[in-house]
Every structure is written in structure tokens, then in C-alpha cells.
Amino acid sequence: QVQLVESGGGLVQPGGSLRLSCVASGSISSINVMGWYRQAPGKERELVAQIDSAGRKGYVGSKGRFTISRDNARNTVYLQIDSLNPEDTAVYYCNANQGVWSSWGQGTQVTVSS
């Protein structure tokens, strides 16, 4: 299993952009699926985007504002969020799923407010 560390969150104004990073302790090139999830206060954790080992991407809702990518050489998965709005406020979590195991990062807080 790998350890995951997210970063890049913070307080931003509506309309701004963020790029979240998820750095893994080991290689991610062979991990089945890397995903970004988010959880807002009082709500269930939800999938935002995922990318598999072949580079295939999937998005759930607002896909036009979210872009997931990976840099295998840096063991890093990114989530680019554009046109942020207050409804995007949540803790964003990185996940690595290899089928037989799954790992979560500690989360990074994204707060969108004027």
C-alpha cells in the first residue's frame, strides 16, 4: 500500500482556481485507479474524478470545471479546479485503489468564499 499526502487547498475567492496535488509514497503507475473525492459538512463523501493506470479519466458532475491528471515520474496525481464556487467548499481526499487494497490521504481543505 502507499501513503498519500494532499496539498494545494486553501481559501479562495469565487471564480478562482486551484490545483490540488496528491503525492504518493511509491509508484502510482501500476495502481488501478487514482481518484479525488470530496466531502462537504453534513454530506456524504462523493467521487469527483478518477484516472486509471491506462490514463482513462472519469468525472462525476461539473466535469467541465475539473481536470484530473497524473505524473507518474513524480508519483503525483493532480486535480485542477476552475471557476470555483462556494458549493465546491469541502475537504478533498485522494484515494488509491488497487482492488485488494485502498488508501486514503488525510485530505486538504478547500474553502471558497468572498
Side-chain angles (χ1 to χ4, degrees):
Q1 300 186 31
V2 299
Q3 284 69 56
L4 307 172
V5 180
E6 301 98 329
S7 63
L11 176 63
V12 296
Q13 293 184 331
S17 297
L18 283 174
R19 189 179 71 166
L20 309 182
S21 298
C22 171
V23 180
S25 61
S27 175
I28 64 170
S29 62
S30 62
I31 294 178
N32 289 351
V33 180
M34 299 293 298
W36 281 98
Y37 294 72
R38 68 183 182 183
Q39 186 167 22
K43 296 184 178 181
E44 298 290 316
R45 187 173 300 186
E46 63 179 1
L47 175 68
V48 176
Q50 62 182 38
I51 183 169
D52 67 13
S53 60
R56 294 171 294 196
K57 303 174 182 179
Y59 299 93
V60 179
S62 301
K63 66 177 182 179
R65 300 190 296 110
F66 295 84
T67 304
I68 190 170
S69 61
R70 63 193 298 164
D71 186 339
N72 290 343
R74 292 178 168 83
N75 296 331
T76 302
V77 178
Y78 303 96
L79 182 68
Q80 176 75 30
I81 315 175
D82 298 315
S83 301
L84 283 157
N85 59 65
E87 288 68 47
D88 295 319
T89 295
V91 178
Y92 286 71
Y93 297 92
C94 182
N95 174 261
N97 194 313
Q98 192 67 0
V100 296
W101 57 262
S102 180
S103 296
W104 292 92
Q106 83 291 342
T108 184
Q109 175 72 50
V110 172
T111 302
V112 185
S113 177
S114 60

XYZ file of all heavy atoms in Angstrom:
855
model
N 0.833 -1.171 0.000
C 0.000 0.000 0.000
C 0.885 1.244 0.000
O 2.063 1.177 0.340
C -0.923 0.007 1.218
C -1.857 -1.174 1.278
C -2.860 -1.054 2.408
O -3.269 0.039 2.781
N -3.259 -2.194 2.941
N 0.284 2.346 -0.367
C 1.003 3.601 -0.423
C 0.370 4.602 0.527
O -0.817 4.527 0.854
C 1.039 4.187 -1.851
C 1.738 3.242 -2.805
C -0.368 4.485 -2.347
N 1.188 5.529 0.970
C 0.695 6.655 1.741
C 0.501 7.833 0.795
O 1.296 8.038 -0.128
C 1.662 7.031 2.859
C 1.631 6.095 4.067
C 2.200 4.731 3.752
O 3.341 4.609 3.293
N 1.409 3.692 4.005
N -0.553 8.589 1.033
C -0.922 9.691 0.169
C -0.971 10.978 0.967
O -1.501 11.001 2.079
C -2.294 9.440 -0.474
C -2.468 8.114 -1.209
C -3.924 7.922 -1.614
C -1.563 8.062 -2.429
N -0.436 12.031 0.398
C -0.435 13.334 1.039
C -0.972 14.366 0.065
O -0.375 14.606 -0.986
C 0.972 13.740 1.513
C 0.923 15.114 2.166
C 1.519 12.716 2.496
N -2.097 14.970 0.428
C -2.695 16.002 -0.403
C -2.187 17.379 0.006
O -1.844 17.606 1.161
C -4.227 15.995 -0.286
C -4.887 14.687 -0.670
C -5.217 13.831 0.536
O -4.481 13.910 1.545
O -6.216 13.086 0.473
N -2.193 18.277 -0.942
C -1.848 19.658 -0.677
C -2.489 20.530 -1.743
O -3.012 20.034 -2.734
C -0.328 19.866 -0.651
O 0.242 19.578 -1.913
N -2.437 21.825 -1.528
C -2.927 22.761 -2.520
C -4.240 23.426 -2.182
O -4.660 24.356 -2.887
N -4.893 22.966 -1.132
C -6.138 23.592 -0.732
C -5.897 24.924 -0.049
O -4.762 25.334 0.194
N -6.985 25.598 0.249
C -6.889 26.882 0.907
C -8.148 27.690 0.722
O -9.162 27.190 0.237
N -8.074 28.939 1.113
C -9.190 29.868 0.984
C -9.038 30.647 -0.314
O -8.015 31.316 -0.529
C -9.222 30.821 2.174
C -10.275 31.931 2.146
C -11.676 31.334 2.153
C -10.074 32.867 3.327
N -10.036 30.551 -1.165
C -10.004 31.238 -2.446
C -11.330 31.950 -2.685
O -12.360 31.586 -2.116
C -9.715 30.276 -3.621
C -8.331 29.668 -3.479
C -10.775 29.196 -3.687
N -11.292 32.943 -3.538
C -12.496 33.682 -3.886
C -13.269 32.977 -4.988
O -12.692 32.238 -5.789
C -12.135 35.095 -4.330
C -11.555 35.964 -3.229
C -11.294 37.382 -3.692
O -11.034 37.628 -4.862
N -11.365 38.322 -2.771
N -14.582 33.180 -5.030
C -15.354 32.612 -6.135
C -14.779 33.020 -7.484
O -14.368 34.164 -7.677
C -16.753 33.191 -5.925
C -16.819 33.464 -4.458
C -15.429 33.904 -4.071
N -14.766 32.066 -8.393
C -14.210 32.305 -9.710
C -12.745 31.970 -9.831
O -12.215 31.918 -10.948
N -12.098 31.734 -8.716
C -10.692 31.401 -8.735
C -10.446 29.955 -9.107
O -11.365 29.182 -9.360
N -9.177 29.595 -9.130
C -8.764 28.247 -9.499
C -7.778 27.699 -8.488
O -7.062 28.450 -7.824
C -8.111 28.235 -10.888
O -9.017 28.642 -11.891
N -7.756 26.398 -8.386
C -6.807 25.695 -7.544
C -6.315 24.460 -8.258
O -7.044 23.864 -9.052
C -7.439 25.268 -6.215
C -7.655 26.303 -5.125
C -8.426 25.666 -3.968
C -6.336 26.863 -4.630
N -5.098 24.078 -7.968
C -4.591 22.786 -8.392
C -4.175 22.013 -7.159
O -3.218 22.378 -6.472
C -3.413 22.907 -9.359
C -3.026 21.553 -9.963
C -1.884 21.631 -10.950
N -0.608 21.904 -10.300
C 0.577 21.752 -10.884
N 0.631 21.351 -12.151
N 1.681 22.038 -10.230
N -4.905 20.964 -6.878
C -4.601 20.108 -5.750
C -3.615 19.032 -6.175
O -3.662 18.547 -7.303
C -5.870 19.447 -5.214
C -7.050 20.374 -4.914
C -8.211 19.570 -4.344
C -6.640 21.488 -3.968
N -2.741 18.668 -5.260
C -1.741 17.651 -5.533
C -1.882 16.506 -4.551
O -2.202 16.709 -3.382
C -0.328 18.228 -5.434
O -0.111 19.246 -6.385
N -1.626 15.322 -5.021
C -1.609 14.122 -4.191
C -0.317 13.390 -4.487
O -0.144 12.855 -5.589
C -2.820 13.243 -4.490
S -2.780 11.608 -3.724
N 0.580 13.385 -3.520
C 1.875 12.742 -3.679
C 1.861 11.399 -2.962
O 1.540 11.330 -1.774
C 3.012 13.619 -3.137
C 4.357 12.915 -3.317
C 3.032 14.966 -3.845
N 2.196 10.361 -3.673
C 2.225 9.020 -3.120
C 3.628 8.651 -2.671
O 4.620 9.146 -3.208
C 1.726 8.002 -4.147
N 3.701 7.760 -1.695
C 4.989 7.346 -1.163
C 5.732 6.395 -2.085
O 6.924 6.137 -1.885
C 4.795 6.683 0.206
O 3.985 5.529 0.106
N 5.036 5.862 -3.073
C 5.643 4.961 -4.023
C 5.065 5.159 -5.403
O 4.288 6.087 -5.642
N 5.427 4.271 -6.289
C 4.980 4.370 -7.672
C 3.460 4.259 -7.781
O 2.835 3.435 -7.123
C 5.630 3.275 -8.515
O 5.129 3.276 -9.833
N 2.888 5.094 -8.625
C 1.454 5.033 -8.884
C 1.160 4.497 -10.279
O -0.008 4.361 -10.646
C 0.783 6.409 -8.720
C 1.328 7.400 -9.756
C 0.974 6.937 -7.308
C 0.552 8.703 -9.816
N 2.190 4.196 -11.022
C 1.999 3.825 -12.418
C 1.171 2.562 -12.595
O 0.478 2.410 -13.604
C 3.351 3.668 -13.118
O 4.116 2.634 -12.532
N 1.244 1.650 -11.641
C 0.532 0.389 -11.753
C -0.728 0.305 -10.897
O -1.402 -0.723 -10.894
C 1.456 -0.771 -11.392
O 1.910 -0.676 -10.062
N -1.043 1.371 -10.181
C -2.257 1.378 -9.364
C -3.472 1.452 -10.271
O -3.522 2.266 -11.195
C -2.229 2.543 -8.363
C -1.109 2.321 -7.355
C -3.574 2.681 -7.654
C -0.945 3.440 -6.345
N -4.449 0.615 -9.999
C -5.609 0.517 -10.876
C -6.291 1.859 -11.092
O -6.517 2.280 -12.230
C -6.613 -0.490 -10.322
C -6.133 -1.920 -10.445
O -5.131 -2.213 -11.082
N -6.871 -2.829 -9.822
N -6.642 2.509 -9.987
C -7.399 3.750 -10.071
C -6.925 4.727 -9.010
O -6.826 4.379 -7.833
C -8.913 3.514 -9.900
C -9.669 4.837 -10.000
C -9.436 2.537 -10.938
N -6.636 5.940 -9.431
C -6.413 7.047 -8.524
C -7.618 7.968 -8.636
O -8.082 8.256 -9.742
C -5.142 7.805 -8.874
C -3.862 6.979 -8.795
S -3.448 6.475 -7.098
C -3.217 8.063 -6.297
N -8.113 8.408 -7.505
C -9.310 9.224 -7.529
C -9.257 10.386 -6.567
O -8.503 10.380 -5.585
N -10.053 11.388 -6.876
C -10.279 12.518 -5.989
C -11.723 12.484 -5.524
O -12.643 12.355 -6.339
C -9.989 13.844 -6.683
C -8.538 14.188 -6.781
C -7.712 14.004 -7.844
C -7.744 14.794 -5.757
N -6.450 14.462 -7.559
C -6.442 14.950 -6.285
C -7.994 15.230 -4.455
C -5.395 15.521 -5.545
C -6.957 15.785 -3.725
C -5.679 15.921 -4.279
N -11.905 12.605 -4.235
C -13.212 12.674 -3.612
C -13.310 13.967 -2.821
O -12.305 14.588 -2.506
C -13.444 11.494 -2.666
C -13.509 10.142 -3.333
C -12.373 9.533 -3.851
C -14.727 9.452 -3.420
C -12.428 8.287 -4.448
C -14.788 8.198 -4.013
C -13.644 7.624 -4.523
O -13.707 6.379 -5.112
N -14.525 14.345 -2.470
C -14.698 15.482 -1.595
C -15.861 15.239 -0.652
O -16.778 14.478 -0.955
C -14.922 16.775 -2.385
C -16.240 16.841 -3.142
C -16.326 18.136 -3.939
N -17.589 18.259 -4.645
C -17.894 19.257 -5.458
N -17.017 20.240 -5.670
N -19.076 19.287 -6.065
N -15.793 15.888 0.495
C -16.843 15.770 1.483
C -17.111 17.134 2.099
O -16.242 17.712 2.746
C -16.470 14.763 2.573
C -17.594 14.479 3.554
C -17.310 13.270 4.416
O -16.158 12.872 4.582
N -18.354 12.667 4.963
N -18.308 17.628 1.879
C -18.743 18.881 2.466
C -19.385 18.609 3.817
O -19.852 17.497 4.087
C -19.731 19.584 1.538
N -19.430 19.610 4.687
C -20.044 19.411 6.007
C -21.467 18.882 5.902
O -22.290 19.417 5.160
C -20.015 20.812 6.617
C -18.860 21.489 5.949
C -18.873 20.971 4.540
N -21.750 17.833 6.651
C -23.080 17.260 6.675
C -23.450 16.432 5.463
O -24.597 15.994 5.357
N -22.511 16.208 4.565
C -22.798 15.455 3.360
C -21.905 14.227 3.251
O -20.887 14.119 3.925
C -22.625 16.333 2.124
C -23.590 17.504 2.052
C -23.436 18.264 0.754
C -24.432 19.402 0.658
N -24.293 20.143 -0.623
N -22.315 13.317 2.391
C -21.541 12.117 2.147
C -20.326 12.436 1.284
O -20.334 13.375 0.490
C -22.397 11.063 1.450
C -23.594 10.582 2.257
C -23.180 9.753 3.439
O -22.296 8.875 3.280
O -23.726 9.969 4.535
N -19.295 11.637 1.456
C -18.138 11.767 0.601
C -18.519 11.340 -0.811
O -19.162 10.304 -1.009
C -16.983 10.917 1.124
C -15.673 11.114 0.377
C -14.528 10.374 1.049
N -14.311 10.839 2.414
C -13.301 10.442 3.189
N -12.411 9.573 2.728
N -13.191 10.907 4.421
N -18.125 12.129 -1.791
C -18.504 11.854 -3.161
C -17.296 11.861 -4.081
O -16.336 12.606 -3.879
C -19.530 12.885 -3.653
C -19.013 14.313 -3.685
C -20.037 15.301 -4.207
O -21.165 14.887 -4.538
O -19.710 16.505 -4.283
N -17.375 11.036 -5.084
C -16.331 10.972 -6.090
C -16.408 12.190 -6.995
O -17.489 12.572 -7.448
C -16.468 9.698 -6.914
C -15.519 9.527 -8.100
C -14.086 9.342 -7.617
C -15.948 8.335 -8.955
N -15.271 12.785 -7.263
C -15.188 13.916 -8.165
C -14.593 13.501 -9.507
O -15.138 13.819 -10.567
C -14.352 15.058 -7.560
C -14.201 16.204 -8.554
C -14.994 15.554 -6.269
N -13.481 12.800 -9.459
C -12.798 12.408 -10.684
C -11.873 11.243 -10.397
O -11.429 11.048 -9.267
C -12.005 13.580 -11.271
N -11.576 10.464 -11.424
C -10.656 9.360 -11.274
C -9.877 9.155 -12.556
O -10.297 9.572 -13.641
C -11.394 8.067 -10.896
C -12.387 7.584 -11.941
C -13.122 6.338 -11.502
O -13.474 6.200 -10.328
N -13.347 5.427 -12.432
N -8.737 8.508 -12.410
C -7.908 8.185 -13.554
C -7.294 6.819 -13.309
O -6.798 6.535 -12.223
C -6.831 9.267 -13.790
C -6.008 8.951 -15.036
C -5.949 9.447 -12.563
C -5.117 10.114 -15.473
N -7.338 5.949 -14.318
C -6.819 4.610 -14.133
C -5.399 4.491 -14.671
O -4.818 5.455 -15.168
C -7.758 3.559 -14.733
C -7.843 3.614 -16.254
O -7.018 4.284 -16.904
O -8.760 2.962 -16.804
N -4.844 3.301 -14.567
C -3.449 3.095 -14.931
C -3.185 3.308 -16.412
O -2.033 3.560 -16.800
C -2.992 1.692 -14.519
O -3.773 0.695 -15.155
N -4.217 3.197 -17.222
C -4.083 3.429 -18.653
C -4.280 4.890 -19.024
O -4.187 5.231 -20.202
C -5.065 2.560 -19.430
N -4.572 5.728 -18.041
C -4.772 7.136 -18.306
C -6.191 7.521 -18.637
O -6.446 8.680 -18.979
N -7.107 6.577 -18.548
C -8.501 6.873 -18.815
C -9.112 7.629 -17.650
O -8.907 7.275 -16.494
C -9.277 5.588 -19.089
C -8.849 4.893 -20.372
C -9.454 3.515 -20.523
N -8.968 2.599 -19.509
C -9.079 1.279 -19.573
N -9.666 0.716 -20.630
N -8.607 0.523 -18.594
N -9.867 8.660 -17.949
C -10.407 9.558 -16.945
C -11.916 9.445 -16.853
O -12.603 9.166 -17.830
C -10.026 11.005 -17.262
C -8.527 11.236 -17.386
C -8.224 12.642 -17.852
C -6.728 12.853 -18.017
N -6.413 14.216 -18.500
N -12.408 9.685 -15.652
C -13.830 9.730 -15.424
C -14.171 10.880 -14.500
O -13.413 11.183 -13.582
N -15.301 11.518 -14.750
C -15.729 12.655 -13.962
C -17.169 12.463 -13.513
O -17.968 11.836 -14.213
C -15.613 13.948 -14.758
C -14.205 14.282 -15.198
C -13.739 13.880 -16.439
C -13.352 14.989 -14.359
C -12.447 14.181 -16.839
C -12.062 15.287 -14.758
C -11.612 14.887 -15.996
O -10.325 15.185 -16.396
N -17.485 13.037 -12.367
C -18.835 12.998 -11.834
C -19.270 14.428 -11.554
O -18.722 15.075 -10.654
C -18.932 12.160 -10.554
C -20.362 12.179 -10.019
C -18.469 10.731 -10.814
N -20.234 14.887 -12.319
C -20.758 16.220 -12.105
C -19.720 17.311 -12.315
O -18.551 17.148 -11.972
N -20.151 18.424 -12.894
C -19.287 19.581 -13.101
C -17.967 19.216 -13.756
O -16.928 19.826 -13.474
C -19.018 20.294 -11.766
O -20.216 20.723 -11.165
N -18.004 18.243 -14.631
C -16.765 17.753 -15.219
C -16.041 18.810 -16.027
O -14.833 18.735 -16.220
C -17.027 16.511 -16.075
C -17.877 16.757 -17.310
C -18.023 15.482 -18.115
C -18.826 15.712 -19.381
N -18.939 14.464 -20.178
N -16.783 19.817 -16.485
C -16.156 20.869 -17.261
C -15.235 21.753 -16.457
O -14.395 22.444 -17.037
N -15.371 21.761 -15.141
C -14.545 22.588 -14.284
C -13.433 21.810 -13.600
O -12.600 22.410 -12.928
C -15.393 23.277 -13.220
C -16.474 24.186 -13.777
C -17.119 25.027 -12.681
N -17.830 24.213 -11.703
C -17.434 24.031 -10.450
N -16.317 24.600 -10.004
N -18.146 23.285 -9.621
N -13.419 20.515 -13.760
C -12.449 19.664 -13.090
C -11.600 18.928 -14.113
O -12.111 18.438 -15.125
C -13.147 18.638 -12.190
C -13.888 19.246 -11.037
C -15.175 19.729 -11.188
C -13.291 19.326 -9.791
C -15.860 20.285 -10.128
C -13.967 19.879 -8.717
C -15.250 20.364 -8.886
N -10.317 18.860 -13.828
C -9.405 18.123 -14.668
C -8.473 17.302 -13.792
O -7.758 17.853 -12.959
C -8.569 19.051 -15.564
O -9.429 19.886 -16.350
C -7.692 18.227 -16.499
N -8.497 16.004 -13.969
C -7.595 15.127 -13.245
C -6.449 14.732 -14.163
O -6.636 14.527 -15.363
C -8.326 13.884 -12.694
C -7.415 13.106 -11.735
C -8.837 12.994 -13.818
C -8.142 12.010 -10.966
N -5.271 14.650 -13.596
C -4.100 14.255 -14.360
C -3.120 13.555 -13.430
O -3.265 13.598 -12.205
C -3.443 15.460 -15.044
O -3.012 16.411 -14.085
N -2.140 12.916 -14.034
C -1.137 12.230 -13.225
C 0.239 12.413 -13.822
O 0.399 12.558 -15.037
C -1.477 10.738 -13.087
C -1.484 9.969 -14.402
C -2.131 8.598 -14.240
N -1.410 7.755 -13.297
C -1.901 6.653 -12.745
N -3.151 6.268 -13.030
N -1.165 5.943 -11.905
N 1.225 12.403 -12.958
C 2.619 12.471 -13.357
C 3.303 11.298 -12.684
O 3.680 11.370 -11.516
C 3.246 13.801 -12.943
C 4.657 13.975 -13.462
O 5.318 12.974 -13.792
O 5.122 15.131 -13.547
N 3.443 10.221 -13.414
C 3.996 9.007 -12.833
C 5.428 9.195 -12.340
O 5.825 8.591 -11.343
C 3.942 7.864 -13.843
C 2.534 7.378 -14.103
O 1.614 7.646 -13.333
N 2.353 6.651 -15.199
N 6.185 10.028 -13.032
C 7.568 10.250 -12.634
C 7.663 10.911 -11.270
O 8.656 10.727 -10.560
C 8.289 11.083 -13.684
N 6.666 11.678 -10.918
C 6.645 12.363 -9.627
C 5.717 11.691 -8.627
O 5.521 12.211 -7.526
C 6.243 13.819 -9.799
C 7.279 14.659 -10.532
C 6.797 16.089 -10.721
N 7.863 16.970 -11.164
C 8.246 17.087 -12.418
N 7.650 16.388 -13.385
N 9.239 17.912 -12.744
N 5.145 10.552 -8.989
C 4.208 9.835 -8.127
C 3.088 10.754 -7.639
O 2.690 10.705 -6.477
C 4.933 9.214 -6.925
C 5.929 8.159 -7.328
O 5.768 7.491 -8.350
N 6.964 7.984 -6.516
N 2.587 11.556 -8.537
C 1.645 12.600 -8.160
C 0.420 12.591 -9.057
O 0.525 12.420 -10.276
C 2.314 13.983 -8.217
O 3.451 13.998 -7.341
C 1.349 15.071 -7.779
N -0.728 12.789 -8.433
C -1.985 12.987 -9.135
C -2.482 14.388 -8.817
O -2.394 14.837 -7.670
C -3.031 11.942 -8.723
C -4.357 12.191 -9.434
C -2.529 10.543 -9.032
N -2.990 15.055 -9.820
C -3.456 16.420 -9.663
C -4.952 16.521 -9.917
O -5.526 15.741 -10.677
C -2.746 17.359 -10.643
C -1.245 17.353 -10.540
C -0.472 16.564 -11.383
C -0.593 18.150 -9.596
C 0.906 16.562 -11.297
C 0.790 18.151 -9.502
C 1.534 17.358 -10.356
O 2.912 17.363 -10.260
N -5.554 17.509 -9.292
C -6.919 17.887 -9.601
C -6.954 19.393 -9.805
O -6.748 20.156 -8.862
C -7.895 17.494 -8.489
C -9.366 17.831 -8.767
C -9.909 16.961 -9.904
C -10.223 17.657 -7.516
N -7.186 19.796 -11.031
C -7.341 21.202 -11.358
C -8.809 21.568 -11.255
O -9.662 20.902 -11.849
C -6.827 21.474 -12.780
C -7.028 22.900 -13.270
C -6.068 23.881 -12.644
O -4.948 23.522 -12.295
N -6.495 25.129 -12.502
N -9.099 22.597 -10.493
C -10.464 23.074 -10.336
C -10.520 24.515 -10.801
O -9.812 25.375 -10.273
C -10.971 22.992 -8.886
C -10.617 21.640 -8.256
C -12.475 23.226 -8.844
C -10.982 21.545 -6.792
N -11.353 24.779 -11.766
C -11.532 26.123 -12.290
C -12.912 26.648 -11.923
O -13.823 25.888 -11.602
C -11.354 26.136 -13.813
C -9.972 25.720 -14.255
O -8.986 26.193 -13.657
O -9.873 24.918 -15.213
N -13.055 27.962 -11.993
C -14.331 28.617 -11.726
C -14.953 28.140 -10.416
O -16.114 27.733 -10.366
C -15.300 28.394 -12.895
O -14.769 28.907 -14.096
N -14.172 28.200 -9.382
C -14.636 27.733 -8.081
C -15.834 28.539 -7.596
O -15.906 29.757 -7.792
C -13.508 27.837 -7.060
C -12.443 26.743 -7.142
C -11.141 27.207 -6.520
C -12.945 25.479 -6.446
N -16.760 27.851 -6.970
C -17.904 28.492 -6.356
C -18.051 27.984 -4.927
O -17.432 26.987 -4.552
C -19.183 28.252 -7.170
C -19.528 26.788 -7.330
O -19.832 26.107 -6.350
N -19.500 26.295 -8.558
N -18.844 28.667 -4.104
C -18.954 28.260 -2.699
C -19.400 26.814 -2.506
O -19.052 26.204 -1.485
C -19.993 29.239 -2.138
C -19.821 30.464 -2.965
C -19.526 29.954 -4.346
N -20.136 26.267 -3.459
C -20.584 24.882 -3.346
C -19.438 23.885 -3.473
O -19.618 22.700 -3.186
C -21.650 24.576 -4.403
C -23.008 25.233 -4.127
C -22.963 26.747 -4.261
O -22.403 27.235 -5.270
O -23.480 27.439 -3.373
N -18.287 24.351 -3.914
C -17.119 23.490 -4.001
C -16.400 23.358 -2.666
O -15.445 22.582 -2.553
C -16.136 24.017 -5.050
C -16.703 23.966 -6.454
O -17.368 22.963 -6.796
O -16.475 24.926 -7.218
N -16.828 24.117 -1.681
C -16.202 24.056 -0.369
C -16.350 22.660 0.221
O -17.452 22.147 0.371
C -16.823 25.091 0.575
O -16.547 26.409 0.093
C -16.241 24.958 1.977
N -15.232 22.055 0.548
C -15.225 20.690 1.058
C -13.796 20.305 1.399
O -12.849 21.007 1.056
C -15.792 19.712 0.020
N -13.670 19.173 2.066
C -12.374 18.543 2.216
C -12.191 17.602 1.041
O -13.045 16.755 0.774
C -12.249 17.776 3.542
C -10.891 17.092 3.639
C -12.446 18.718 4.722
N -11.103 17.757 0.333
C -10.817 16.942 -0.836
C -9.809 15.866 -0.469
O -8.753 16.150 0.100
C -10.291 17.813 -1.977
C -11.371 18.635 -2.632
C -11.948 19.716 -1.970
C -11.840 18.319 -3.909
C -12.959 20.459 -2.552
C -12.842 19.064 -4.503
C -13.401 20.129 -3.824
O -14.400 20.867 -4.416
N -10.154 14.630 -0.807
C -9.345 13.474 -0.460
C -8.832 12.771 -1.701
O -9.551 12.626 -2.692
C -10.158 12.461 0.350
C -10.648 12.956 1.689
C -11.895 13.546 1.821
C -9.863 12.820 2.825
C -12.356 13.993 3.046
C -10.312 13.256 4.057
C -11.558 13.839 4.159
O -12.009 14.275 5.388
N -7.623 12.307 -1.610
C -7.032 11.480 -2.646
C -7.184 10.018 -2.259
O -7.092 9.668 -1.085
C -5.552 11.838 -2.813
S -4.689 10.941 -4.116
N -7.418 9.176 -3.239
C -7.593 7.754 -2.997
C -6.833 6.937 -4.028
O -6.818 7.273 -5.208
C -9.078 7.382 -3.039
C -9.315 5.886 -2.939
O -9.526 5.210 -3.955
N -9.270 5.360 -1.730
N -6.202 5.887 -3.549
C -5.561 4.908 -4.420
C -6.253 3.577 -4.217
O -6.347 3.089 -3.087
C -4.071 4.793 -4.104
N -6.737 3.005 -5.296
C -7.470 1.750 -5.223
C -6.810 0.720 -6.126
O -6.769 0.889 -7.345
C -8.927 1.958 -5.623
C -9.808 0.787 -5.250
O -9.460 -0.363 -5.500
N -10.958 1.074 -4.654
N -6.311 -0.332 -5.504
C -5.660 -1.403 -6.238
C -6.510 -2.673 -6.257
O -6.041 -3.735 -6.656
C -4.274 -1.683 -5.631
C -3.361 -2.578 -6.449
C -2.910 -1.968 -7.761
O -3.270 -0.829 -8.098
N -2.129 -2.694 -8.515
N -7.751 -2.558 -5.831
C -8.635 -3.707 -5.795
C -8.534 -4.462 -4.489
O -9.495 -4.518 -3.712
N -7.365 -5.028 -4.234
C -7.162 -5.772 -2.997
C -6.875 -4.858 -1.819
O -6.920 -5.297 -0.669
C -6.031 -6.807 -3.152
C -6.417 -7.862 -4.177
C -4.727 -6.135 -3.534
N -6.568 -3.607 -2.092
C -6.364 -2.628 -1.036
C -6.724 -1.241 -1.535
O -6.789 -0.990 -2.736
C -4.934 -2.653 -0.481
C -3.844 -2.444 -1.512
C -3.108 -3.412 -2.115
C -3.387 -1.198 -2.040
N -2.210 -2.847 -2.991
C -2.351 -1.500 -2.969
C -3.730 0.141 -1.826
C -1.676 -0.507 -3.676
C -3.058 1.132 -2.540
C -2.043 0.800 -3.443
N -6.945 -0.348 -0.591
C -7.289 1.026 -0.896
C -6.690 1.933 0.164
O -6.709 1.601 1.353
C -8.810 1.206 -0.945
O -9.167 2.537 -1.234
N -6.158 3.062 -0.253
C -5.537 4.013 0.659
C -6.135 5.397 0.477
O -6.478 5.792 -0.640
C -4.019 4.087 0.431
O -3.391 2.858 0.731
N -6.225 6.109 1.566
C -6.740 7.474 1.574
C -5.711 8.439 2.126
O -4.951 8.102 3.039
C -7.999 7.588 2.436
C -9.191 6.880 1.899
C -9.588 5.610 2.159
C -10.169 7.418 0.997
N -10.748 5.312 1.484
C -11.125 6.402 0.765
C -10.326 8.656 0.378
C -12.227 6.590 -0.067
C -11.417 8.842 -0.456
C -12.355 7.821 -0.668
N -5.706 9.633 1.591
C -4.917 10.699 2.163
C -5.650 11.350 3.310
O -6.781 10.982 3.649
N -5.008 12.324 3.928
C -5.605 12.994 5.080
C -6.600 14.076 4.689
O -7.367 14.542 5.534
C -4.500 13.607 5.953
C -3.992 14.976 5.505
C -3.196 14.942 4.209
O -2.726 13.888 3.771
N -3.040 16.106 3.587
N -6.590 14.468 3.451
C -7.490 15.489 2.961
C -6.883 16.875 2.982
O -6.000 17.175 3.778
N -7.356 17.708 2.092
C -6.961 19.107 2.067
C -8.218 19.960 1.942
O -9.100 19.679 1.131
C -5.968 19.392 0.920
O -5.540 20.755 0.976
C -6.578 19.115 -0.444
N -8.303 20.980 2.764
C -9.500 21.808 2.841
C -9.517 22.839 1.727
O -8.555 23.583 1.532
C -9.577 22.519 4.196
C -10.741 23.497 4.335
C -12.074 22.797 4.457
O -12.227 21.885 5.269
N -13.045 23.215 3.644
N -10.621 22.879 1.014
C -10.874 23.919 0.024
C -12.058 24.738 0.504
O -13.145 24.207 0.715
C -11.161 23.335 -1.367
C -11.604 24.429 -2.335
C -9.933 22.612 -1.906
N -11.841 26.021 0.685
C -12.902 26.924 1.109
C -13.026 28.040 0.091
O -12.056 28.749 -0.177
C -12.614 27.509 2.496
O -12.464 26.454 3.451
C -13.758 28.420 2.936
N -14.205 28.186 -0.464
C -14.469 29.204 -1.469
C -15.406 30.232 -0.860
O -16.561 29.936 -0.559
C -15.077 28.607 -2.736
C -15.229 29.684 -3.804
C -14.222 27.454 -3.249
N -14.906 31.424 -0.668
C -15.684 32.469 -0.018
C -15.131 33.824 -0.411
O -13.936 33.991 -0.624
C -15.640 32.316 1.501
O -16.330 33.371 2.145
N -16.026 34.791 -0.494
C -15.621 36.156 -0.757
C -15.412 36.942 0.523
O -14.978 38.081 0.498
C -16.670 36.863 -1.622
O -17.928 36.889 -0.980
